[in-house]
Amino acid sequence: MTALEVRDLVKDYPIRSGLRSSRLRAVDHVSFTLTPGRTVALVGESGSGKSTVAKMIARLEKPTGGAIVATKDDGRPVGDREYRDHVQMVFQDPFASLNPFHTIEHHLARPLRLHGRTKGRTDTRRQVEQLLERVNLTPAHAIAPRRPHELSGGQRQRVAIARALAPGAQVVVADEPVSMLDVSIRLGVLNLLARLQREDRLAVLYITHDLATARHFSDEILVMYRGHVVERGPADDVILTPQHSYTKLLAAAAPNPEERGRSLAEGVGAIDEADLTRMFDHHTKSWHPFEKAAPIAAALANPAGGKQ
Amino acid sequence: MTNLSPLTGSADESAAAAAPVKSASAPPSRGRSGMRALLPSWSPKLVIGLVLVLGITLFAIIGPWLVGDPDAIDSIGMTEPSGEYWLGTTQTGQDVFAQLAHAVRGSLLVGLVVGILATILSALFGIIGGYVGGAVDEGFSLLSNVMLVIPGLPLVIVIAGFVPPQDRGWWTVALVLAITGWAAAARVLRAQTLSLRNRDYVAAARVAGEKRWRIVSVEILPNLLPLLASQFVFAVIAAILAEAGLSFLGLGAANSHTLGTMLYYAQNGFALQYEAWWWFGPPGLMIALFGCGLSLINFSIDEIINPKLRVPKPVAAKGGTPPPVAPPAPVTGAAAQAPPAPARAADGRDVVLSVRDLNVIYQTENPVHAVKDVSITLGRGEILGLAGESGCGKTTLAYAVNRLHRPPAEVASGSVIFHDRDGGDIDLLALDAEELRQFRWAKLSMVFQGAMNSLNPVISIHEQLDDVLTTHKPDMSKQARRERCEEVLRLVRVDPTRLDSFPHELSGGMRQRVMIAMAMLLDPQVMIMDEPTTALDVVVQRGILREIIRLRDELGFAVVFITHDLPMLLELSDRIAVMRAGEVVEYAPAEQIYERPEHPYTRQLLGSFPSLTGERGAFIRTGESSPLTKNEGAPR
């Protein structure tokens, strides 16, 4: 069963420099599916196109090519009008994603009303408080009339998660939901997301640059590099036995105190030339050449910067 | 100036650092809620402005009821102020006070109408153009640009010339002034809308399915209110002045009373020549006072838009709230009494920097004790990790060590001693401004948080590096300076041919390397790095860390590395100090912190980082809120 299918997604951005204009392909033929109750992690560095994928799924950007199809529980496709009920997004920066002018209640009541899920004022208030309690913001009646600046970063991100749940979404796109939070509260927010996912059988797309949380909080990992998916498979397989040289590079670069003294001595390395045109799939345990997508430009294949 | 770019950058940084510290440990203030959050706080400026404006407005409303007909000819002309005529009479024997009351009412009416019309026009064109974008924006921008370049006053003169004087009421003037006066405000509003449009909360409203007009009116417009208010006030001032100017030239509303027409008649009646100050003085003074009052109100509105303009209140003036700590001892005295620092650190290295019982307090309304009794010893060539979360005081500590902290931050007590390579000890807290300037960067340099953005974008890398050398080593030849710049770039593995590049031509990782090169220019003995790799991708970060370790091994400087990323510090540093709420809760060699953390907070921090390759341990997706964070959801 599928909640959302992404097929051959392409996004080009026009670049104008002087009189010349060219295109930057930010996302190049990316395909994957999200299923209820499972998390897919999209891992990659800044500029890899992962946030662009998120924006296209949330309909904040129009795809240049390809299709995004959402499906309901009963197998019928989700129409344009219902799309926002079905697919919601949690943004990266909880300090920017809540309007400083409005109360917490406003942020939750608006989506409830917009999607016709409440009858009358008291019902709205009751549902807002229920949402706040679901994300562990208690006492809800004390939180609801506050403004974002009166809450801590972790509390704000919980409000943002509650807002995504308000329309009754089945698909949640979480774009780096904890990267702006203090480390000691990240785990709590991720676990909250996991609990809500289990309770509501949500399909979650977890976008992150942190391989460790991707491994522990998702079932499947897609590694993106320069707009391409270069490796995909079950979370543990991708992280513990990486095959693509870019994934290996990422895994080696992540701080790992268990190997103190080891990794700093050796070079950062570069990407194999053969890997510029192919993707490894752990499900089939085989390499797949990029079919429609262009190869990764060799000039960009030195992510470490500086001289090697 | 450019050589100071890292230092001037620091001023903002320290102010920024102060904010989270305050919010983390200051007692929770419920804050002003609702629309009141948008009101300016009471300040002398605002009070004086409001008194002036309200007083004059009251006079304009009530005055005309109390005085007689301003056109009535009461006596022989040009009498000086007396009991009967408070402000004397004009040449034709009219009461100046009565005229003034009506004129103020007329001018204020023009100001109000123009203010409202111009604000509506600018909001319409600026906000809608900015939000909708595309062809609409282009069209609106073109229109406002055209309106901007049309010189307002001559246009008004032309229009006024076409309308026969007898039809020229005050509203004609007001309409003309509104049409010529909205464009500049529209451009400001458009720019602000363009920035607001890209905020995440607007994107979130779109994802929620809000309609366009609702996003503009409910999500964007309220955040523009302070700006709109400020522009309204400005439009009122401009309109009153422009109307006075027009009327003075005889192009205004001939048949109505405004301050401008009053001045016009005074001019025609040779008031200056007759030294009839009571005739031209009061209207002039009224314009000046009203403009002054509105400007003062505008200042206060500006402080809402840009809180940086707020002058921090000196604590002494408050009197009622003594700081929670003992009155700060004179810094030099404390330093003199400090016990001599040990010559060697615990692991046998020579000591290069010793910090003893340092206390830093932000002297705000609720003083914040940002650094509490911190003692740290930095060995020569050691990498000391300073770990902690936002608001724990780690950045404040780093700034205080280099005396880069700015008011309201104050070093209350403690000592910072730098043990020079040549054997001399330098008491950092006792240096005067010139000695401090000589010391900084030469012996102790800094790589700032978000350093990639602290390079000046319009000056080449070479000039920025060169500036440091010309400031600190004025007798160095140009050739030698260039060679040194190339040398440090080579040290951080950036191609020296990039020396003449501008910052935007380099990648984020390269810019970071350039910042480290700049910190190394004068061969310092200590480098303080404040989150130098936080904004970088892990692969790039790994390259930079390798560089730092290699350079430390080659050149032997000591590093204080500040970050929240404990796993990175465990790999990188020799010793680690874990900070929480201004205190160092644990200070031990890195292996010990990793293998036998003693303080519960250290254990909590370590537990917050899942292992990449190890067992899942506590990091199974439990879906339960972890015991570490159970308090986090509680209201503050």
Side-chain angles (χ1 to χ4, degrees), chain A residues 39 45-46 58-61 84 87-89 91-93 96-102 106 110-111 114-115 136-139 142-143 145-147 149-155 158 163 182-189 191 194-195 197-198 209 211-213 215-219 235-236 239-240 246 249-268 303-308, chain B residues 29-35 37-38 199-211 214 218-220 222-223 225 388-391 493-496 507 509-510 513 535 537-543 545-547 549 564-574 590-591 594 601 604-605 607-616 618-626 628-629 631-636:
Chain A
T39 301
E45 303 206 328
S46 50
R59 297 209 168 169
L60 289 170
E61 298 267 6
R84 302 268 192 219
V87 180
Q88 280 294 314
M89 179 161 171
F91 290 83
Q92 175 176 14
D93 184 357
S97 68
L98 302 180
N99 192 331
F101 185 81
H102 291 301
H106 169 96
R110 276 309 298 167
L114 268 172
H115 297 271
N136 295 343
L137 285 173
T138 51
I143 300 273
R146 295 198 184 182
R147 264 155 228 283
H149 73 94
E150 296 173 70
L151 303 183
S152 69
Q155 290 174 322
R158 284 161 194 269
R163 172 172 60 187
D182 264 335
V183 287
S184 62
I185 57 177
R186 287 183 186 174
L187 187 58
V189 171
N191 262 324
R195 193 194 79 213
Q197 172 183 45
R198 204 180 46 204
H209 62 266
L211 290 181
T213 57
R215 176 185 167 212
H216 296 300
F217 283 90
S218 60
D219 305 287
D236 272 8
I239 301 300
L240 298 180
Y246 176 69
L249 207 60
L250 266 186
N256 193 350
E258 278 162 28
E259 299 178 50
R260 196 178 133 80
R262 159 262 347 168
S263 35
L264 285 170
E266 68 198 39
V268 187
K307 287 184 187 173
Q308 290 306 310
Chain B
S29 61
R30 273 309 302 252
R32 293 176 296 165
S33 57
M35 297 289 281
L38 286 170
R199 298 280 159 92
D200 277 357
Y201 57 78
V202 174
R206 283 170 64 198
V207 172
E210 294 274 18
K211 294 194 172 56
R214 241 202 106 93
V218 177
E219 305 290 335
I220 291 181
N223 289 297
L225 277 183
E389 298 187 280
S390 58
R493 304 208 183 178
V494 173
D495 191 343
S507 69
M510 296 245 270
R513 284 164 194 264
D537 290 323
V538 278
V539 179
V540 183
Q541 167 180 305
R542 170 83 6 173
L545 295 182
R546 243 177 73 236
E547 227 60 86
I549 298 253
H564 64 273
D565 192 344
L566 195 52
M568 190 218 287
L569 283 185
L570 288 169
E571 262 191 78
L572 176 81
S573 37
D574 300 305
E591 296 89 21
Y594 181 54
Y601 181 67
Q604 180 189 338
L605 264 190
S608 304
F609 292 95
S611 161
L612 181 62
T613 52
E615 285 301 303
R616 290 189 172 217
F619 283 91
I620 298 169
R621 258 198 288 167
T622 59
E624 300 304 321
S625 83
S626 76
L628 305 176
T629 55
N631 291 327
E632 189 260 326
R636 292 195 293 162

Side-chain angles (χ1 to χ4, degrees), chain B residues 179-423:
Chain B
I179 288 168
T180 52
W182 59 271
R187 287 186 55 94
V188 176
L189 283 173
R190 173 176 172 267
Q192 189 65 20
T193 309
L194 282 178
S195 130
L196 287 175
R197 181 177 76 162
N198 293 326
R199 298 280 159 92
D200 277 357
Y201 57 78
V202 174
R206 283 170 64 198
V207 172
E210 294 274 18
K211 294 194 172 56
R212 268 184 172 188
W213 66 268
R214 241 202 106 93
I215 293 179
V216 171
S217 60
V218 177
E219 305 290 335
I220 291 181
L221 194 63
N223 289 297
L224 288 172
L225 277 183
L227 195 60
L228 280 171
S230 150
Q231 285 177 338
F232 170 74
V233 171
F234 184 74
V236 172
I237 303 177
I240 289 176
L241 289 178
E243 189 279 329
L246 275 180
S247 299
F248 184 71
L249 295 173
L251 295 163
N255 51 2
S256 57
H257 291 276
T258 66
L259 293 169
T261 48
M262 245 185 116
L263 288 170
Y264 171 69
Y265 286 121
Q267 162 78 4
N268 279 7
F270 302 104
L272 263 175
Q273 285 85 335
Y274 290 122
E275 294 182 351
W277 56 267
W278 60 88
W279 192 0
F280 60 82
L285 201 65
M286 272 301 169
I287 293 178
L289 284 180
F290 196 71
C292 174
L294 284 178
S295 300
L296 286 173
I297 293 176
N298 225 355
F299 277 132
S300 308
I301 298 175
D302 278 348
E303 284 174 5
I304 313 178
I305 302 170
N306 186 358
K308 273 188 194 167
L309 292 175
R310 258 172 238 169
V311 184
K313 282 180 197 158
V315 179
K318 293 270 295 178
T321 52
V325 288
V331 168
T332 43
Q337 290 156 18
R344 289 184 178 276
D347 56 355
R349 296 176 197 268
D350 282 346
V351 174
V352 63
L353 187 74
S354 48
V355 177
R356 287 271 157 275
D357 301 322
L358 192 70
N359 282 285
V360 183
I361 297 172
Y362 283 91
Q363 300 287 10
T364 49
E365 275 175 72
N366 304 301
V368 178
H369 206 154
V371 174
K372 284 179 203 153
D373 295 325
V374 168
S375 297
I376 276 172
T377 320
L378 183 66
R380 209 166 278 287
E382 179 181 358
I383 296 185
L384 170 69
L386 207 53
E389 298 187 280
S390 58
C392 76
K394 54 192 195 301
T395 301
T396 307
L397 173 64
Y399 278 92
V401 164
N402 210 359
R403 293 249 320 259
L404 281 169
H405 61 283
R406 298 215 316 177
E410 264 176 31
V411 173
S413 65
S415 72
V416 180
I417 312 281
F418 182 86
H419 309 277
D420 204 349
R421 199 152 30 195
D422 316 329

Side-chain angles (χ1 to χ4, degrees), chain A:
Chain A
M1 201 172 90
T2 314
L4 186 99
E5 188 183 359
V6 171
R7 227 180 294 128
D8 286 329
L9 202 58
V10 177
K11 178 71 188 175
D12 289 340
Y13 286 108
I15 308 173
R16 252 186 277 169
S17 88
L19 292 173
R20 282 174 304 159
S21 74
S22 55
R23 287 175 313 148
L24 173 80
R25 182 148 287 189
V27 174
D28 202 348
H29 293 89
V30 167
S31 307
F32 58 89
T33 55
L34 300 177
T35 37
R38 285 172 68 81
T39 301
V40 173
L42 204 53
V43 173
E45 303 206 328
S46 50
S48 63
K50 57 190 196 306
S51 284
T52 310
V53 170
K55 282 183 188 157
M56 285 191 283
I57 293 177
R59 297 209 168 169
L60 289 170
E61 298 267 6
K62 277 205 180 83
T64 309
I68 300 170
V69 183
T71 330
K72 281 190 236 176
D73 281 348
D74 54 13
R76 286 184 298 135
V78 173
D80 273 356
R81 192 167 290 184
E82 308 156 295
Y83 191 83
R84 302 268 192 219
D85 300 354
H86 193 78
V87 180
Q88 280 294 314
M89 179 161 171
V90 177
F91 290 83
Q92 175 176 14
D93 184 357
F95 295 86
S97 68
L98 302 180
N99 192 331
F101 185 81
H102 291 301
T103 60
I104 301 306
E105 180 165 6
H106 169 96
H107 284 96
L108 300 180
R110 276 309 298 167
L112 283 172
R113 285 202 205 102
L114 268 172
H115 297 271
R117 291 168 65 86
T118 62
K119 308 173 211 62
R121 193 173 285 253
T122 45
D123 186 42
T124 309
R125 171 148 297 188
R126 195 179 52 77
Q127 290 206 34
V128 164
E129 291 186 4
Q130 272 177 0
L131 278 169
L132 286 173
E133 275 158 22
R134 285 198 68 193
V135 296
N136 295 343
L137 285 173
T138 51
H141 61 86
I143 300 273
R146 295 198 184 182
R147 264 155 228 283
H149 73 94
E150 296 173 70
L151 303 183
S152 69
Q155 290 174 322
R156 289 186 211 202
Q157 197 59 303
R158 284 161 194 269
V159 172
I161 291 172
R163 172 172 60 187
L165 296 180
Q170 291 305 300
V171 177
V172 171
V173 179
D175 187 3
E176 307 237 18
V178 294
S179 68
M180 303 290 278
L181 303 179
D182 264 335
V183 287
S184 62
I185 57 177
R186 287 183 186 174
L187 187 58
V189 171
L190 284 173
N191 262 324
L192 169 74
L193 208 55
R195 193 194 79 213
L196 297 170
Q197 172 183 45
R198 204 180 46 204
E199 287 172 4
D200 289 4
R201 295 215 354 110
L202 301 175
V204 174
L205 179 65
Y206 173 44
I207 293 174
T208 182
H209 62 266
D210 180 4
L211 290 181
T213 57
R215 176 185 167 212
H216 296 300
F217 283 90
S218 60
D219 305 287
E220 168 118 0
I221 291 182
L222 306 180
V223 181
M224 273 192 87
Y225 182 61
R226 306 278 176 201
H228 299 75
V229 172
V230 294
E231 186 157 355
R232 71 195 308 166
D236 272 8
D237 292 356
V238 171
I239 301 300
L240 298 180
T241 55
Q243 298 298 317
H244 194 277
S245 47
Y246 176 69
T247 317
K248 288 181 184 168
L249 207 60
L250 266 186
N256 193 350
E258 278 162 28
E259 299 178 50
R260 196 178 133 80
R262 159 262 347 168
S263 35
L264 285 170
E266 68 198 39
V268 187
I271 291 174
D272 289 348
E273 208 161 310
D275 285 354
L276 295 176
T277 56
R278 59 183 189 171
M279 181 262 288
F280 189 84
D281 188 342
H282 285 267
H283 293 294
T284 59
K285 305 231 176 302
S286 60
W287 291 96
H288 298 269
F290 296 157
E291 282 168 10
K292 298 166 197 161
I296 299 168
L300 300 173
N302 174 16
K307 287 184 187 173
Q308 290 306 310

Side-chain angles (χ1 to χ4, degrees), chain B residues 358-492:
Chain B
L358 192 70
N359 282 285
V360 183
I361 297 172
Y362 283 91
Q363 300 287 10
T364 49
E365 275 175 72
N366 304 301
V368 178
H369 206 154
V371 174
K372 284 179 203 153
D373 295 325
V374 168
S375 297
I376 276 172
T377 320
L378 183 66
R380 209 166 278 287
E382 179 181 358
I383 296 185
L384 170 69
L386 207 53
E389 298 187 280
S390 58
C392 76
K394 54 192 195 301
T395 301
T396 307
L397 173 64
Y399 278 92
V401 164
N402 210 359
R403 293 249 320 259
L404 281 169
H405 61 283
R406 298 215 316 177
E410 264 176 31
V411 173
S413 65
S415 72
V416 180
I417 312 281
F418 182 86
H419 309 277
D420 204 349
R421 199 152 30 195
D422 316 329
D425 281 3
I426 301 170
D427 181 351
L428 276 179
L429 299 179
L431 294 182
D432 66 27
E434 177 55 27
E435 288 168 333
L436 194 62
R437 199 187 63 79
Q438 294 279 345
F439 172 84
R440 272 186 204 153
W441 223 257
K443 301 195 190 293
L444 190 156
S445 61
M446 276 189 91
V447 178
F448 293 100
Q449 206 166 355
M452 319 195 299
N453 303 322
S454 37
L455 288 169
N456 188 334
V458 294
I459 297 174
S460 74
I461 302 297
H462 176 229
E463 278 177 84
Q464 301 194 38
L465 292 173
D466 194 61
D467 243 356
V468 177
L469 288 176
T470 39
T471 315
H472 283 272
K473 295 190 171 174
D475 45 351
M476 217 169 161
S477 76
K478 196 177 172 192
Q479 184 58 32
R481 289 204 305 267
R482 175 139 194 133
E483 275 165 19
R484 177 66 188 156
C485 292
E486 285 178 0
E487 193 184 339
V488 288
L489 279 195
R490 235 175 269 125
L491 277 176
V492 294

